[in-house]
Amino acid sequence: MIQTIVFDVGETITRDDRYWASWADWLDVPRHTLSALVGAVVARGEDNAEALRLARPGIDIPAQYRAREAAGRGEGLDESDLYGDVRPAMSALRKMGVRLIVAGNQTPRAGELLRELALPADLVVTSGEWGVAKPQPEFFLRVMEVAHAAPSETLYVGDHPANDVFPAKDAGLRAAHIRRGPWGHLWGDSREVVDAADWRINSLTELADIVRS
């Protein structure tokens, strides 16, 4: 029985549209160009950040983050960035007594912005705040520390096979792959994901039925 559900952030509960558009504008690259580069690195199985390095070879991404913040063009996140099924799904799960955690590869600032949205979650935390990022096993050790449930009773939900599904399973957690965003759509029917994921879903509202089963 699932006692705790842990949600990835980008392209699981939030759309990445604003994120990539803001980077394209900052780097003075057409938004379509950067979007295409994101698709290219996804198809190659590389980290999303490689799209920025393709657009600007030699870019120092942490330095550019700091420069954006200093220029007043840092990260932004509000209600419009949430997928429409997030609040209904979380509210239903909360009523069922499920512990809900949001934990993904984001900056400390993104963690602040997520908490300002007052999601019906018991904990919202980011890799930047923990000091360890997916797919490192230490990230999922931290997940298990805050889950307050056995690994077999903890479900990690995400769109990214290499960052979410595979390492969650390696850690002994249950895993649900959501067909959402570039990674979710491109890799959703791959044999590796089909074999590894306990569930494959199209909407977060399907999680309630998983808990009931």
Side-chain angles (χ1 to χ4, degrees), residues 38-121:
V38 172
V41 300
V42 169
R44 284 155 45 172
E46 298 174 349
D47 185 80
N48 289 349
E50 291 303 315
L52 300 177
R53 297 186 178 98
L54 288 172
R56 286 289 181 270
I59 186 175
D60 183 335
I61 295 176
Q64 289 298 315
Y65 263 113
R66 294 191 294 271
R68 286 182 56 184
E69 290 289 344
R73 296 173 62 182
E75 293 182 80
L77 193 65
D78 60 31
E79 191 72 22
S80 67
D81 296 298
L82 292 178
Y83 275 100
D85 57 359
V86 173
R87 289 193 184 277
M90 284 188 167
S91 295
L93 292 165
R94 194 72 177 270
K95 290 177 182 177
M96 298 171 70
V98 179
R99 178 170 171 80
L100 303 179
I101 297 171
V102 175
N105 278 357
Q106 270 75 34
T107 64
R109 175 56 178 158
E112 295 173 0
L113 294 170
L114 284 165
R115 287 187 286 273
E116 288 175 5
L117 295 177
L119 293 167

